[in-house]
Structures are given as C-alpha cells and as structure tokens.
C-alpha cells in the first residue's frame, strides 16, 4: 500500500505600500518700510560790506533791514541790523532766494538793493559789497559803476555827453575827468572790483538837462578774450535824493572790435528828476570812436517820445 501525502503550502505575500506626502508650507512675510525724506536746510552765511562811493572807505553807523522776496511779497528776515565800525554786518539765511536790503547811515542816501543767493552746497558763504552815496546837493545826480570780481582789474566807465541842440559830443572818462560841462569823474578804479566803484557826478541839473548821457563800460585790458567782463557782475546805479535806478550787465558773447557795453541813456530834467532808458541786454559797440556813439542814441528813445510817435 502506498500512501501519498500531499502538502500544500500557501504563501501569502502582503505588500505594504507606504506613501509619504510632504507638504511644504511657504510663508511670505511682507515688510513695510517707511522712508522719511528730510529736507536739509542750507546754511548761507552772508557778509554785507558797506562802502563810500567817493573813496571806498568803510561806512560807520549803518543799519539795515533784510527781507526775503517771495511771491512779490517781502518777508522780514532781520530788522535794524547794526553794522560794525568797519561797515560790515553778518547774516545767516537758510534757503536760496531773492533778498531785499535797505541800508541807512547818517550823511548817506538810503540804499535799497536786491541780490539772489545761488549756493550749490549745504553750507556756503557769500560776500555782498554795497556802495552808498553821500548826500547830494540840490540838482546833482550820481552814476556809480561797480563790479564783483578782481578780474578784470580795470573796468572803465565812459559817459558820452550829447548836446540836444546840435548833437555835439564830449566824453567823460579816466582820460577826461572834468573836461565836459557840469560833469566830473570822481573816482577811477584800476585795482579790481573789491577796490570799489568808479563814480561820476552830474553837477547841475540846469546844465545837465541840455544833454543826453550815454553810459557804457569797457574792460581796459580785454582780459581772457572778454570772458572776464562777462563774468564780472558789473552794473550801474543812478541816484539823486529822490530816486534810484540800478541796471546790471547781461551778455553771453563779446568781440574785441565791439567791446563797449551800453547800459543805456540818461536824461536829467530841469526839475532835478531823471529818466534812464535801458538798452537791450547784450548791446555792444565800438565805443573807441566818438562818432559811433551817436548811432547808439537809437536806444535812448524816451517813453514820452515813444508815446508821441505812437500818436502820430
């Protein structure tokens, strides 16, 4: 007998699958940064120097009122500022602006002038020279020419006296200080703008009213091909006891052949008033020749004359 035994082995395979899920959480952090813009105030230190138009001496006993010109209004900056014995006062302002200056001293005509600060750094220093005229006798008129720099060293004022009755001419300058009727060159300056003004006085309005005065300047040395005078800050002041007019030189180009800069024309009235008619900025001509001055009277047309022409 054969016994057959069958053994069945059942193998159960269990497969376990493990799934790992990785969850990544991204956190975004927003940082708000507040930027504060601070306006830095400029510190502008201004030195005001008062000098006598007749001799460039310091003026003692000067008081000044300083104002800021903004939107055609005056905003007080400093009042009743006392200048020291050397005719100097110090002022600190905090922005580039147009400033007005009124200065008074015993024996001198009140001076009213304006200047603009144009600093390009947070702190800077400015020096402003102010020329004041001593009081004038009745019927006198004074012309004061100044410049800011020491180059050119010698800017000369030339005043051509043209008689209204016959167009005859007479020039007042460093070469002829007192040779024309009732006009005198009081001060010549050949040592730079810091050495003061050139000053001319018309002595008698009854005589001066018979003339028309053309006012021009020239750099005697024509330094740096004329660039020096263009950058000199030259200007004129015309004054009497009742009125004052200021006119600056403004030009960008110049040539040696026509290096006289024309400010304009002055007419003195019989009652002592005057009328200044400014030439267009940048008006140059050959003033070395006396005959060329008559042609420049085209710029001397008075307002009253213009009104008459417009009514024709």
């Amino acid at each position: 007998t054969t016994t057959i035994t069958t053994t069945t082995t059942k193998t159960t395979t269990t497969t376990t699958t493990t799934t790992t899920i990785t969850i990544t959480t991204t956190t975004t952090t927003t940082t708000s940064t507040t930027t504060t813009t601070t306006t830095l105030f400029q510190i502008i230190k201004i030195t005001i120097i008062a000098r006598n138009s007749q001799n460039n001496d310091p003026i003692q006993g000067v008081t000044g009122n300083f104002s800021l010109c903004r939107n055609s209004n005056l905003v007080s900056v400093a009042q009743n500022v006392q200048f020291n014995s050397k005719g100097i006062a110090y002022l600190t302002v905090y922005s580039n602006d147009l400033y007005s200056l009124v200065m008074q001293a015993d024996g001198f005509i009140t001076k009213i002038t304006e200047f603009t600060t144009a600093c390009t750094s947070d702190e800077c220093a400015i020096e402003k020279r102010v020329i004041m005229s001593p009081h004038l006798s009745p019927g006198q008129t004074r012309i004061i020419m100044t410049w800011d720099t020491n180059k050119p060293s010698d800017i000369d004022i030339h005043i051509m006296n043209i008689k209204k009755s016959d167009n005859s001419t007479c020039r007042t300058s460093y070469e002829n200080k007192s040779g024309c009727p009732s006009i005198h060159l009081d001060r010549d300056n050949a040592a730079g703008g810091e050495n003061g003004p050139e000053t001319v006085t018309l002595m008698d309005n009854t005589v001066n009213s018979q003339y028309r005065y053309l006012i021009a300047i020239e750099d005697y040395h024509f330094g740096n091909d004329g660039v020096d005078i263009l950058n000199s800050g030259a200007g004129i002041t015309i004054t009497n006891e009742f009125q004052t007019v200021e006119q600056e030189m403004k030009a960008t180009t110049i040539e040696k052949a026509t290096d006289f800069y024309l400010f304009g024309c002055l007419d003195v009235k019989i009652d002592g008033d005057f009328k200044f008619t400014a030439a267009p900025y940048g008006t140059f001509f050959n003033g070395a020749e006396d005959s060329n001055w008559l042609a420049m009277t085209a710029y001397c047309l008075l307002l009253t004359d213009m009104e008459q022409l417009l009514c024709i």
Side-chain angles (χ1 to χ4, degrees):
T1 303
T2 303
T3 303
I4 302 172
T5 304
T6 303
T7 303
T8 302
T9 303
K10 183 179 182 181
T11 304
T12 301
T13 302
T14 303
T15 302
T16 303
T17 302
T18 303
T19 302
T20 302
I21 300 175
T22 302
I23 300 176
T24 303
T25 302
T26 303
T27 302
T28 302
T29 303
T30 302
T31 303
S32 297
T33 303
T34 302
T35 302
T36 302
T37 302
T38 303
T39 301
L40 297 177
F41 288 97
Q42 291 177 302
I43 300 176
I44 305 173
K45 297 180 179 180
I46 304 174
T47 301
I48 309 292
I49 303 173
R51 294 295 177 93
N52 189 324
S53 67
Q54 303 309 103
N55 51 27
N56 201 41
D57 285 349
I59 302 174
Q60 298 184 357
V62 180
T63 59
N65 295 331
F66 300 87
S67 301
L68 169 65
C69 303
R70 184 166 288 173
N71 299 324
S72 300
N73 294 316
L74 291 178
V75 180
S76 178
V77 174
Q79 300 296 305
N80 199 33
V81 175
Q82 304 295 313
F83 285 61
N84 64 23
S85 60
K86 294 183 179 181
I88 298 174
Y90 302 96
L91 179 70
T92 300
V93 297
Y94 301 96
S95 63
N96 281 327
D97 270 298
L98 174 65
Y99 292 91
S100 174
L101 172 60
V102 180
M103 295 167 55
Q104 295 178 311
D106 289 342
F108 289 82
I109 298 172
T110 296
K111 176 69 174 182
I112 303 174
T113 189
E114 294 179 345
F115 62 95
T116 301
T117 57
C119 291
T120 57
S121 59
D122 294 338
E123 184 171 347
C124 71
I126 295 174
E127 185 175 281
K128 174 67 176 177
R129 293 176 177 268
V130 180
I131 305 300
M132 299 180 67
S133 170
H135 284 302
L136 292 163
S137 299
Q140 292 186 336
T141 305
R142 182 159 285 152
I143 304 167
I144 303 167
M145 187 276 292
T146 61
W147 69 102
D148 296 335
T149 58
N150 282 331
K151 289 184 178 181
S153 61
D154 189 8
I155 297 180
D156 290 311
I157 190 169
H158 294 253
I159 299 180
M160 185 60 75
N161 311 238
I162 301 178
K163 195 166 186 178
K164 296 176 181 179
S165 61
D166 59 9
N167 280 341
S168 59
T169 61
C170 183
R171 184 194 302 237
T172 301
S173 70
Y174 66 93
E175 293 181 310
N176 184 31
K177 294 183 178 181
S178 57
C180 300
S182 293
I183 182 172
H184 183 262
L185 177 65
D186 307 329
R187 188 174 192 271
D188 181 33
N189 173 23
E194 292 185 4
N195 190 48
E198 295 208 346
T199 305
V200 176
T201 301
L202 282 64
M203 306 300 296
D204 184 351
N205 61 289
T206 60
V207 176
N208 302 136
S209 61
Q210 301 173 34
Y211 292 82
R212 177 164 286 170
Y213 299 93
L214 277 67
I215 306 170
I217 59 172
E218 178 200 29
D219 177 2
Y220 182 80
H221 300 290
F222 199 68
N224 197 16
D225 292 328
V227 174
D228 288 347
I229 192 171
L230 293 177
N231 297 329
S232 67
I236 60 170
T237 299
I238 306 170
T239 189
N240 58 22
E241 292 294 320
F242 309 104
Q243 60 186 128
T244 297
V245 172
E246 293 185 340
Q247 184 74 6
E248 296 178 347
M249 175 184 180
K250 291 184 180 180
T252 56
T253 59
I254 187 173
E255 296 180 1
K256 175 61 176 174
T258 54
D259 65 335
F260 277 65
Y261 181 86
L262 180 67
F263 282 106
C265 316
L266 174 65
D267 286 80
V268 176
K269 300 179 181 179
I270 193 69
D271 62 5
D273 290 344
F274 65 80
K275 171 67 178 181
F276 174 72
T277 306
Y281 288 129
T283 299
F284 287 95
F285 70 108
N286 178 9
E289 299 294 331
D290 286 358
S291 58
N292 293 333
W293 288 77
L294 284 173
M296 305 311 291
T297 58
Y299 297 111
C300 300
L301 197 61
L302 294 177
L303 180 60
T304 52
D305 296 331
M306 178 69 76
E307 290 172 344
Q308 291 172 0
L309 288 176
L310 291 175
C311 292
I312 293 176

